[in-house]
Amino acid sequence: MKAFTYERAKTPAAAAAAVAANKGAKFIAGGTNLLDLMKLEIETPTHLVDVQDLGLDRIEATKEGGLRIGTLVSNTALAADSRVRKDYGVLTRAIVAGASGQLRNKATTGGNLLQRTRCPYFYDTNQACNKRKPGSGCAAIGGFSRPLGVIGTSDACIATHPSDMAIALRVLDAAVETVDASGKTRSVPIGEFHRLPGDTPHLENVLQPGELITAVTLPKPLGGRHFYHKVRDRASYAFALVSVAAVLNEDGSGRVAFGGVAPKPWRVEAADAQLRNGAAATAKTAFAEARPTHENAFKVTLAERTLAALIAENQA
Amino acid sequence: MKFDTPAGTNPIDAMKVIGQAVDRVDGKLKTTGQAPYAYEHGEVPAKPAYGYVIGAGIAKGRIASFHAEEARRMPGVLAIVSAENAQPLGKGNMNTAKLLGGPNVDHYHQALAVVVAESFEQARSAANAVRITYDRAQGRFDLAKAKPGAQPLTGNDADTHTGDFAGAFAAAPVQLDQTYTTPDQNHAMMEPFATIAWWEGDALSVWTSNQMIAWNKRELATTLQMPPEKVHVRSPFIGGGFGGKLFLRADAVMAALGAKACGRPVKIAMPRPLMLNNATHRPATIQRIRLGATKDGKLTAIGHESWSGDLPGGGPESATQQTKLLYAGANRLTALRLAELDLPEANAMRAPGEAPGLMALEIAIDEMAEKLAMDPVKFRVLNDTQVDPENPKRPFSQRNFVRCLEDGAARFGWNRRNAKPAQVREGRWLIGMGVAAAFRNNLNMTSAARVRLAGDGTVTVETDMTDIGTGSYTIIAQTAAEMMGLPVEKVRVKLGDSSFPVSAGSGGQWGANSATSGVYAACAKLRDMAAQRLGMDPAAVQFVDGEVRAGNRSAALAEAAKSGELVAEETMQWGDLGKKFQQSTFGAHFVEAAVDSYTGETRVRRMLAVCAAGRILNPKTARSQVIGAMTMGVGGALMEELAVDKRFGFFVNHDLAGYEVPVHADIPHQEVVFLDEADDKVSPMKAKGVGELGLCGVGAAVANAVYNATGVRVRDYPITLDKYLAKLPAIA
């Protein structure tokens, strides 16, 4: 870990300004991912701006009939909120499928979206990684790629985004609210928040330097039945091989997003339209542009079969 | 004392304390956090500095440049020791690769330097500031590619031929010829390698975490090129080892070098991401098994060949070991082949040989039973042997394998298994049952102990035996209590100190039987001394309820030490009963597994182990050993694999997020049954080990259950869903 300085910001705009003013600065909230990465010197901020005093820890109704989730709401609190459990079950199910109770107590809503990949080559500083060190190459391509991405990847990076929560937010069409150093706010649809790697895999989202996530908003409840199924090599406490978030209606229509397969929550609206035609048709559309490695090609089959399980459950 | 004739009746047979489910005598210390582990000891002469080990960034080659100038100037840094400035070092007999590399690099994350600083954070930060560049050399990292060049071995690992295997196999009406693979595995023990080391003059002391104190002392002396009597090793509590801590490792060597360089005690805990490539692992195997049988199910030909790899000078995974002994059959072949690989050092992990060997053999037996349309329990029973099949004049000391199978089948409800796979469904789930044999040889090791009888009537046992979570403290206390006629509370046990008599140590499941036999020997001597002190005939005394009794005389045991502590030290040595009789442990594992017909996720739903392992010294700690082993077996069957990067030569998933072991949610109710046995040919304790037996065969039982559930046979471990998903029965 590199030595760093530390401050606790008093307002969102002040936090944003503090980070914008200092090239080596980063926000810290729960720290469940950042601190690990700092210990390994994968992240080497010279200054941390702690946002935990900003009071952004409430879940409130919006005038549109949805919810505004403060960025500091813990994963545990969000999953347990009665409104979320009642109207956005897919979100609760996704959150509790991730990490462990202790981590979810510390992890925050905004921080969850900003988790970095769990690609093992990203974690080993002896290995080439364009995400960790732009231009150094990608050791994962041609290497141990079983856990890595099958779609949305590039010749520079095949890492996946590890979040479960984000997959549910994607299926719910959530939006990410931010503030920048000048105090200007904006709302970014979750589908546009994470970037695909292209030849700049170190740029993982659309946030500008210093721009701080203040909340995540959910539109009014969708209805339907909510599913989140996460498949992994053990029963708990592991990242997804494939996860499927779905909201399905009685007539078989609905929406679906996939985790564990791409650098961002993977949802293809044209695939949603295929749901009534079944899992095979839906997966065929969602994964039309998949370019898996020989080690992870099974993920495409697995995604289809997992979706089939949810469709069958919805019909049962 | 030499054990060279079968044990007659002896004081252990009273089984007032031995054989009882005594709570761990160290349990309270552990559950209240008062049992200090290697990194935590406060009994150190000065405030320790912290060491952080730098591991090689390549698998094979040379250090081209080593830049530590910036790191040396960083805050708190006291010393940086590398091959450039370290004293000349030897290499322990049991280490294949050097524990301090440089300028040559032998494997990934081989220790190249230690940075010592006032705080852990300073040491880690400075270690990251050391810049090393390398000249990479071409390495060999792919076992399948290296297989054709693999070489035969000699001694215990030489090929064995009995009868005419080739002829019998060719003539067999029913044949099986299959190849199985097992992956590289890691011990993944909870406590990392850790040491606090300090020097007083030319004498070295370490608190460390090691299974074999005497080996550790000798190897530390060899490595540091100093007299062994100047080395003091202590390892009273160990947070798991599984064979990973049999040997001296870099934590102890680097802590000793760091302490010498800075003139202070130095403590090192190996960071987990460094451990998996820095230390040893169980190597991958490729195993070919050929079985020939008559139509009525008698095995006529058994052939088992296994290939594994290691660094030059290393050894094989003896995966054919059990195949020499487990089943009858007149024509036999076993062969081990060893390839040179430049991966990290391969070495022992819990049940080396048998664990991966049975993972393969016991699938093959299941496959052969199916070819014969025979129940796999019956097929095994039919091919039981009571003698060493390679040397039929040599009987087993005791072999209740058939009872393990038959009792287990009855308890598990094996008759409810549908022999035709993929027939049983519960909603989305495909349900199957599997069985496999458990087999592991018994090994006895020379073991000494010292026992002290104090004037207050308490007994203290001192031996360098270790407790790696197994329950050694407790069974040793029980042994001394039984021998001296005391309750367990009156016995104090001190372990893991090289100033104590040399014991068997913990490994090869030899610890329980050997170490308690050493304590038995010392107590036998102490009994004689006490009797003499009390003026009684040593041949006629009984030690009961804190008293020594002979005829109508009795005296409190404490009386014997009233005029001064009595101290007895004795060593248990072993005659040739292990040669005259094949001494082994047996069991049967039964598993019920459910496989999600859509996603392929596997959940083990029920597990049963029936074990025949001689006298069970403490059913509670023994059960704990077996359920831990069954858990490890589920990991080996379903998820554990060190992923090899065959281009760069390292295990990629080198932390516990990437190297997955079972979590609670993976493990169902586990039942363990011990047959009521006492094997008089193995020791005066009449006990054998269970710690490794519990693992042997579990993987295959899970594999066979998954096959029975799905109808898809996977021969490459671990059995992850990607290997069978596309072949599952069609989904609705």
Side-chain angles (χ1 to χ4, degrees):
Chain A
M1 189 183 275
K2 296 256 198 244
F4 59 91
T5 52
Y6 173 88
E7 70 176 291
R8 288 172 85 126
K10 294 286 182 286
T11 67
V19 169
N22 185 337
K23 200 163 175 285
K26 269 190 145 354
F27 299 112
I28 184 166
T32 57
N33 190 210
L34 181 62
L35 291 176
D36 284 351
L37 294 170
M38 287 170 66
K39 289 171 186 172
L40 296 165
E41 296 196 6
I42 293 163
E43 295 269 16
T44 52
T46 54
H47 185 65
L48 288 182
V49 177
D50 193 325
V51 297
Q52 66 179 303
D53 296 339
L54 303 185
L56 303 170
D57 58 354
R58 283 187 298 279
I59 302 173
E60 299 160 324
T62 64
K63 59 179 189 297
E64 294 81 14
L67 291 177
R68 174 175 286 105
I69 303 154
T71 191
L72 294 171
V73 172
S74 75
N75 287 177
T76 299
L78 179 55
D81 185 272
S82 60
R83 292 161 293 183
V84 174
R85 291 174 63 180
K86 177 168 164 285
D87 294 327
Y88 306 96
V90 64
L91 180 55
T92 289
R93 292 195 171 113
I95 291 170
V96 300
S100 67
Q102 287 139 315
L103 287 166
R104 294 194 297 267
N105 287 343
K106 285 298 287 179
T108 63
T109 304
N112 189 310
L113 293 175
L114 300 179
Q115 286 181 75
R116 310 226 43 207
T117 184
R118 295 287 168 162
C119 174
Y121 293 91
F122 173 75
Y123 266 81
D124 187 333
T125 51
N126 292 315
Q127 306 304 321
C129 175
N130 287 320
K131 192 183 271 299
R132 178 167 27 77
K133 195 174 171 194
S136 63
C138 173
I141 294 174
F144 172 55
S145 58
R146 181 175 179 271
L148 303 178
V150 297
I151 195 162
T153 54
S154 72
D155 291 342
C157 182
I158 58 170
T160 59
H161 195 274
S163 173
D164 290 297
M165 184 190 85
I167 313 304
L169 292 179
R170 181 68 185 90
V171 93
L172 292 168
D173 278 335
V176 181
E177 294 189 346
T178 70
V179 62
D180 70 11
S182 67
K184 203 173 79 190
T185 62
R186 63 168 172 157
S187 177
V188 183
I190 184 80
E192 292 164 27
F193 181 77
H194 293 105
R195 299 166 56 134
L196 291 179
D199 52 10
T200 55
H202 59 292
L203 302 175
E204 294 173 350
N205 55 59
V206 298
L207 293 175
Q208 297 300 305
E211 191 174 4
L212 173 71
I213 298 174
T214 52
V216 169
T217 55
L218 300 178
K220 67 177 196 246
L222 283 173
R225 287 182 70 182
H226 289 219
F227 299 92
Y228 189 79
H229 193 96
K230 181 179 184 183
V231 182
R232 41 198 157 176
D233 287 322
R234 62 182 172 192
S236 181
Y237 200 48
F239 292 94
L241 293 170
V242 164
S243 68
V244 181
V247 176
L248 300 175
N249 301 311
E250 256 181 71
D251 65 1
S253 66
R255 8 168 117 181
V256 61
F258 299 91
V261 292
K264 61 187 282 187
W266 195 254
R267 181 166 168 215
V268 174
E269 271 79 359
D272 288 357
Q274 293 291 332
L275 275 166
R276 293 177 70 174
N277 299 324
T282 309
K284 197 175 169 196
T285 307
F287 291 94
E289 286 164 40
R291 14 175 266 167
T293 68
H294 78 277
E295 284 188 5
N296 67 21
F298 75 94
K299 286 190 172 193
V300 178
T301 312
L302 181 58
E304 179 191 324
R305 293 183 73 110
T306 307
L307 176 60
L310 304 190
I311 289 173
E313 203 177 324
N314 187 51
Q315 287 164 350
Chain B
M1 184 181 283
K2 190 163 189 181
F3 185 77
D4 50 12
T5 52
T9 302
N10 68 42
I12 296 295
D13 292 326
M15 291 184 70
K16 285 190 173 169
V17 194
I18 283 292
Q20 304 304 311
V22 175
D23 286 350
R24 281 173 196 261
V25 297
D26 53 335
K28 194 174 171 189
L29 288 179
K30 286 186 171 169
T31 52
T32 57
Q34 294 177 82
Y37 289 83
Y39 199 68
E40 303 170 333
H41 284 281
E43 204 184 305
V44 178
K47 183 178 174 289
Y50 292 79
Y52 199 88
V53 172
I54 299 174
I58 62 164
K60 190 168 173 66
R62 273 179 75 84
I63 296 173
S65 65
F66 185 92
H67 304 284
E69 305 76 22
E70 184 198 340
R72 275 204 181 84
R73 288 192 301 268
M74 285 174 70
V77 172
L78 301 168
I80 299 177
V81 184
S82 67
E84 275 183 355
N85 61 355
Q87 63 174 87
L89 295 177
K91 184 163 77 66
N93 293 329
M94 292 170 143
N95 293 129
T96 305
K98 293 195 292 182
L99 296 176
L100 173 60
N104 292 327
V105 173
D106 303 311
H107 64 86
Y108 197 69
H109 279 170
Q110 183 178 31
L112 297 183
V114 61
V115 176
V116 181
E118 289 289 349
S119 75
F120 170 77
E121 288 76 12
Q122 288 170 331
R124 181 176 61 189
S125 185
N128 279 319
V130 173
R131 300 277 166 250
I132 307 174
T133 63
Y134 303 94
D135 293 327
R136 279 180 197 263
Q138 190 63 44
R140 301 152 295 178
F141 309 123
D142 185 342
L143 176 61
K145 265 193 192 154
K147 183 174 170 247
Q151 296 297 314
L153 297 120
T154 55
N156 286 340
D157 293 323
D159 296 359
T160 61
H161 301 272
T162 308
D164 170 19
F165 170 76
F169 180 71
V174 186
Q175 296 175 337
L176 175 104
D177 182 352
Q178 283 293 355
T179 298
Y180 307 84
T181 64
T182 63
D184 296 284
Q185 293 183 330
N186 189 264
H187 311 83
M189 62 294 218
M190 192 122 61
E191 183 201 20
F193 295 99
T195 297
I196 307 177
W198 67 93
W199 295 85
E200 281 160 308
D202 57 356
L204 172 68
S205 296
V206 295
W207 291 111
T208 191
S209 185
N210 192 278
Q211 299 172 221
M212 300 292 297
I213 300 302
W215 292 3
N216 197 251
K217 172 178 167 163
R218 185 190 71 213
E219 301 273 285
L220 203 43
T222 305
T223 305
L224 297 170
Q225 303 195 320
M226 61 188 288
E229 57 273 17
K230 294 281 190 183
V231 178
H232 187 192
V233 174
R234 280 178 289 180
S235 188
F237 294 102
I238 297 162
F242 308 116
K245 293 175 180 167
L246 287 169
F247 313 112
L248 175 69
R249 296 302 316 166
D251 56 309
V253 174
M254 302 309 276
L257 293 175
K260 191 168 242 182
C262 74
R264 292 241 309 259
V266 166
K267 64 197 299 187
I268 291 177
M270 294 296 269
R272 186 72 63 173
L274 196 64
M275 271 172 58
L276 279 69
N277 284 283
N278 174 272
T280 63
H281 67 281
R282 188 204 299 283
T285 64
I286 299 170
Q287 301 180 45
R288 182 185 185 197
I289 295 178
R290 282 174 288 172
L291 301 175
T294 60
K295 286 200 167 134
D296 58 356
K298 281 278 188 189
L299 285 167
T300 54
I302 302 176
H304 191 166
E305 298 151 272
S306 176
W307 290 259
S308 63
D310 199 358
L311 287 163
E317 181 73 19
S318 306
T320 57
Q321 207 155 259
Q322 70 292 321
T323 308
K324 299 174 186 174
L325 293 160
L326 187 48
Y327 296 110
N331 305 289
R332 318 174 71 90
L333 157 75
T334 74
L336 296 173
R337 294 291 178 270
L338 178 62
E340 286 192 352
L341 292 179
D342 298 299
L343 289 170
E345 178 173 334
N347 220 316
M349 179 169 141
R350 198 177 199 173
E354 278 106 329
L358 284 161
M359 285 167 86
L361 178 66
E362 288 297 289
I363 295 184
I365 292 290
D366 200 65
E367 294 198 65
M368 191 60 164
E370 190 178 32
K371 276 180 184 258
L372 292 159
M374 188 174 273
D375 179 90
V377 170
K378 286 206 185 91
F379 180 50
R380 288 177 172 90
V381 170
L382 186 66
N383 288 286
D384 185 46
T385 175
Q386 291 294 316
V387 295
D388 173 352
E390 291 183 355
N391 181 5
K393 287 192 183 126
R394 187 166 166 262
F396 282 89
S397 62
Q398 190 168 50
R399 175 165 165 138
N400 284 317
F401 175 49
V402 168
R403 252 191 73 201
C404 293
L405 286 163
E406 291 179 342
D407 278 21
R411 285 170 187 274
F412 200 67
W414 181 254
N415 58 1
R416 294 200 302 272
R417 171 180 176 267
N418 188 327
K420 193 174 172 202
Q423 300 303 303
V424 182
R425 277 180 184 257
E426 283 181 23
R428 261 164 70 175
W429 296 94
L430 300 162
I431 314 295
M433 289 191 207
V435 65
F439 177 92
R440 172 76 174 153
N441 281 337
N442 180 65
L443 297 169
N444 287 343
M445 300 280 274
T446 303
S447 199
R450 185 158 57 222
V451 285
R452 302 172 182 274
L453 175 65
D456 62 359
T458 61
V459 166
T460 300
V461 183
E462 296 169 343
T463 167
D464 83 352
M465 181 59 189
T466 49
D467 188 327
I468 60 175
T470 41
S472 306
Y473 276 106
T474 310
I475 57 171
I476 285 172
Q478 288 173 267
T479 303
E482 191 80 64
M483 289 296 286
M484 302 312 295
L486 293 171
V488 164
E489 300 76 48
K490 294 276 189 188
V491 179
R492 191 162 164 235
V493 180
K494 295 161 107 178
L495 300 181
D497 187 323
S498 64
S499 68
F500 298 154
V502 175
S503 74
S506 298
Q509 79 170 13
W510 63 59
N513 181 42
S514 300
T516 55
S517 293
V519 174
Y520 172 97
C523 286
K525 197 169 180 181
L526 184 63
R527 285 165 62 107
D528 289 355
M529 290 165 73
Q532 276 164 4
R533 191 66 80 80
L534 294 166
M536 299 184 191
D537 174 8
V541 288
Q542 285 186 302
F543 289 70
V544 185
D545 296 340
E547 290 189 340
V548 188
R549 296 174 191 161
N552 54 8
R553 279 195 60 202
S554 77
L557 177 63
E559 285 293 311
K562 212 172 163 190
S563 58
E565 185 188 49
L566 288 181
V567 184
E569 185 173 332
E570 184 57 283
T571 304
M572 179 57 81
Q573 288 167 319
W574 308 98
D576 63 356
L577 287 173
K579 289 203 176 76
K580 285 185 190 153
F581 299 94
Q582 175 56 40
Q583 302 177 355
S584 305
T585 61
F586 306 89
H589 288 287
F590 292 83
V591 167
E592 181 179 298
V595 179
D596 187 315
S597 59
Y598 284 87
T599 64
E601 292 161 280
T602 294
R603 298 286 180 269
V604 174
R605 304 211 306 184
R606 288 194 296 138
M607 300 182 83
L608 165 68
V610 181
C611 302
R615 177 176 278 153
I616 298 302
L617 301 173
N618 180 331
K620 199 168 188 176
T621 54
R623 178 178 180 276
S624 170
Q625 280 292 289
V626 176
I627 64 172
M630 290 158 82
T631 304
M632 197 174 206
V634 171
L638 297 179
M639 62 195 81
E640 291 186 39
E641 174 174 22
L642 288 164
V644 181
D645 188 309
K646 291 170 188 156
R647 306 160 303 166
F648 302 129
F650 71 109
F651 300 131
V652 182
N653 51 341
H654 54 73
D655 59 27
L656 291 183
Y659 186 83
E660 291 183 19
V661 298
V663 295
H664 282 288
D666 289 297
I667 302 301
H669 180 70
Q670 298 168 313
E671 199 182 338
V672 182
V673 174
F674 295 108
L675 298 188
D676 189 10
E677 285 193 337
D679 189 335
D680 64 354
K681 297 178 188 68
V682 295
S683 79
M685 303 303 293
K686 304 176 185 173
K688 295 180 275 199
V690 296
E692 299 189 326
L693 178 68
L695 172 62
C696 292
V698 179
V702 174
N704 295 337
V706 170
Y707 171 72
N708 183 241
T710 63
V712 186
R713 182 67 78 177
V714 178
R715 300 184 183 87
D716 300 301
Y717 289 98
I719 303 168
T720 48
L721 59 88
D722 45 314
K723 294 175 185 165
Y724 56 80
L725 188 64
K727 299 177 199 155
L728 285 179
I731 46 179

PDB file of all heavy atoms in Angstrom, chain B residues 239-252:
ATOM      1  N   GLY B 239      -2.805 -23.852  12.919  1.00  0.00           N
ATOM      2  CA  GLY B 239      -4.132 -23.676  12.333  1.00  0.00           C
ATOM      3  C   GLY B 239      -4.286 -24.427  11.028  1.00  0.00           C
ATOM      4  O   GLY B 239      -4.602 -23.864   9.989  1.00  0.00           O
ATOM      5  N   GLY B 240      -4.031 -25.715  11.061  1.00  0.00           N
ATOM      6  CA  GLY B 240      -4.168 -26.548   9.869  1.00  0.00           C
ATOM      7  C   GLY B 240      -2.867 -26.658   9.106  1.00  0.00           C
ATOM      8  O   GLY B 240      -2.046 -25.732   9.095  1.00  0.00           O
ATOM      9  N   GLY B 241      -2.655 -27.810   8.503  1.00  0.00           N
ATOM     10  CA  GLY B 241      -1.430 -28.029   7.727  1.00  0.00           C
ATOM     11  C   GLY B 241      -1.691 -28.864   6.488  1.00  0.00           C
ATOM     12  O   GLY B 241      -1.274 -28.510   5.404  1.00  0.00           O
ATOM     13  N   PHE B 242      -2.371 -30.003   6.673  1.00  0.00           N
ATOM     14  CA  PHE B 242      -2.727 -30.900   5.568  1.00  0.00           C
ATOM     15  C   PHE B 242      -1.523 -31.333   4.751  1.00  0.00           C
ATOM     16  O   PHE B 242      -1.636 -31.610   3.563  1.00  0.00           O
ATOM     17  CB  PHE B 242      -3.794 -30.256   4.672  1.00  0.00           C
ATOM     18  CG  PHE B 242      -5.002 -29.767   5.424  1.00  0.00           C
ATOM     19  CD1 PHE B 242      -5.332 -28.424   5.463  1.00  0.00           C
ATOM     20  CD2 PHE B 242      -5.792 -30.661   6.120  1.00  0.00           C
ATOM     21  CE1 PHE B 242      -6.430 -27.973   6.175  1.00  0.00           C
ATOM     22  CE2 PHE B 242      -6.906 -30.221   6.838  1.00  0.00           C
ATOM     23  CZ  PHE B 242      -7.220 -28.876   6.859  1.00  0.00           C
ATOM     24  N   GLY B 243      -0.351 -31.360   5.370  1.00  0.00           N
ATOM     25  CA  GLY B 243       0.867 -31.748   4.659  1.00  0.00           C
ATOM     26  C   GLY B 243       1.643 -30.550   4.134  1.00  0.00           C
ATOM     27  O   GLY B 243       2.834 -30.656   3.853  1.00  0.00           O
ATOM     28  N   GLY B 244       0.999 -29.418   4.024  1.00  0.00           N
ATOM     29  CA  GLY B 244       1.688 -28.214   3.554  1.00  0.00           C
ATOM     30  C   GLY B 244       2.734 -27.733   4.536  1.00  0.00           C
ATOM     31  O   GLY B 244       3.691 -27.049   4.166  1.00  0.00           O
ATOM     32  N   LYS B 245       2.568 -28.108   5.814  1.00  0.00           N
ATOM     33  CA  LYS B 245       3.501 -27.664   6.842  1.00  0.00           C
ATOM     34  C   LYS B 245       4.368 -28.813   7.354  1.00  0.00           C
ATOM     35  O   LYS B 245       4.881 -28.761   8.467  1.00  0.00           O
ATOM     36  CB  LYS B 245       2.734 -26.997   7.992  1.00  0.00           C
ATOM     37  CG  LYS B 245       2.078 -25.677   7.576  1.00  0.00           C
ATOM     38  CD  LYS B 245       1.226 -25.096   8.696  1.00  0.00           C
ATOM     39  CE  LYS B 245       0.582 -23.773   8.259  1.00  0.00           C
ATOM     40  NZ  LYS B 245      -0.483 -23.371   9.203  1.00  0.00           N
ATOM     41  N   LEU B 246       4.519 -29.865   6.536  1.00  0.00           N
ATOM     42  CA  LEU B 246       5.463 -30.922   6.912  1.00  0.00           C
ATOM     43  C   LEU B 246       6.897 -30.413   6.836  1.00  0.00           C
ATOM     44  O   LEU B 246       7.779 -30.898   7.533  1.00  0.00           O
ATOM     45  CB  LEU B 246       5.342 -32.111   5.948  1.00  0.00           C
ATOM     46  CG  LEU B 246       4.109 -33.004   6.067  1.00  0.00           C
ATOM     47  CD1 LEU B 246       4.039 -33.946   4.880  1.00  0.00           C
ATOM     48  CD2 LEU B 246       4.162 -33.808   7.357  1.00  0.00           C
ATOM     49  N   PHE B 247       7.112 -29.461   5.963  1.00  0.00           N
ATOM     50  CA  PHE B 247       8.482 -29.096   5.602  1.00  0.00           C
ATOM     51  C   PHE B 247       8.802 -27.667   6.019  1.00  0.00           C
ATOM     52  O   PHE B 247       7.918 -26.839   6.160  1.00  0.00           O
ATOM     53  CB  PHE B 247       8.669 -29.252   4.089  1.00  0.00           C
ATOM     54  CG  PHE B 247       8.133 -30.553   3.580  1.00  0.00           C
ATOM     55  CD1 PHE B 247       7.024 -30.594   2.749  1.00  0.00           C
ATOM     56  CD2 PHE B 247       8.695 -31.756   3.994  1.00  0.00           C
ATOM     57  CE1 PHE B 247       6.510 -31.805   2.303  1.00  0.00           C
ATOM     58  CE2 PHE B 247       8.177 -32.971   3.547  1.00  0.00           C
ATOM     59  CZ  PHE B 247       7.085 -32.997   2.702  1.00  0.00           C
ATOM     60  N   LEU B 248      10.091 -27.423   6.157  1.00  0.00           N
ATOM     61  CA  LEU B 248      10.561 -26.052   6.359  1.00  0.00           C
ATOM     62  C   LEU B 248      10.163 -25.230   5.137  1.00  0.00           C
ATOM     63  O   LEU B 248      10.340 -25.675   4.007  1.00  0.00           O
ATOM     64  CB  LEU B 248      12.091 -26.077   6.494  1.00  0.00           C
ATOM     65  CG  LEU B 248      12.780 -24.718   6.585  1.00  0.00           C
ATOM     66  CD1 LEU B 248      12.447 -24.047   7.911  1.00  0.00           C
ATOM     67  CD2 LEU B 248      14.286 -24.877   6.431  1.00  0.00           C
ATOM     68  N   ARG B 249       9.640 -24.036   5.385  1.00  0.00           N
ATOM     69  CA  ARG B 249       9.265 -23.191   4.251  1.00  0.00           C
ATOM     70  C   ARG B 249       9.909 -21.812   4.404  1.00  0.00           C
ATOM     71  O   ARG B 249      10.577 -21.515   5.386  1.00  0.00           O
ATOM     72  CB  ARG B 249       7.739 -23.074   4.130  1.00  0.00           C
ATOM     73  CG  ARG B 249       7.007 -24.382   3.816  1.00  0.00           C
ATOM     74  CD  ARG B 249       7.428 -25.095   2.536  1.00  0.00           C
ATOM     75  NE  ARG B 249       7.581 -24.217   1.411  1.00  0.00           N
ATOM     76  CZ  ARG B 249       8.199 -24.557   0.270  1.00  0.00           C
ATOM     77  NH1 ARG B 249       8.714 -25.769   0.112  1.00  0.00           N
ATOM     78  NH2 ARG B 249       8.303 -23.696  -0.699  1.00  0.00           N
ATOM     79  N   ALA B 250       9.659 -20.968   3.413  1.00  0.00           N
ATOM     80  CA  ALA B 250      10.374 -19.699   3.308  1.00  0.00           C
ATOM     81  C   ALA B 250      10.111 -18.755   4.482  1.00  0.00           C
ATOM     82  O   ALA B 250      10.979 -17.946   4.828  1.00  0.00           O
ATOM     83  CB  ALA B 250       9.994 -19.015   1.998  1.00  0.00           C
ATOM     84  N   ASP B 251       8.943 -18.847   5.109  1.00  0.00           N
ATOM     85  CA  ASP B 251       8.648 -17.928   6.212  1.00  0.00           C
ATOM     86  C   ASP B 251       9.709 -18.034   7.305  1.00  0.00           C
ATOM     87  O   ASP B 251      10.200 -17.021   7.811  1.00  0.00           O
ATOM     88  CB  ASP B 251       7.255 -18.189   6.783  1.00  0.00           C
ATOM     89  CG  ASP B 251       7.086 -19.634   7.245  1.00  0.00           C
ATOM     90  OD1 ASP B 251       7.390 -20.547   6.437  1.00  0.00           O
ATOM     91  OD2 ASP B 251       6.690 -19.860   8.392  1.00  0.00           O
ATOM     92  N   ALA B 252      10.078 -19.280   7.658  1.00  0.00           N
ATOM     93  CA  ALA B 252      11.040 -19.466   8.750  1.00  0.00           C
ATOM     94  C   ALA B 252      12.447 -19.041   8.326  1.00  0.00           C
ATOM     95  O   ALA B 252      13.161 -18.370   9.084  1.00  0.00           O
ATOM     96  CB  ALA B 252      11.034 -20.930   9.199  1.00  0.00           C
TER      97      ALA B 252
END
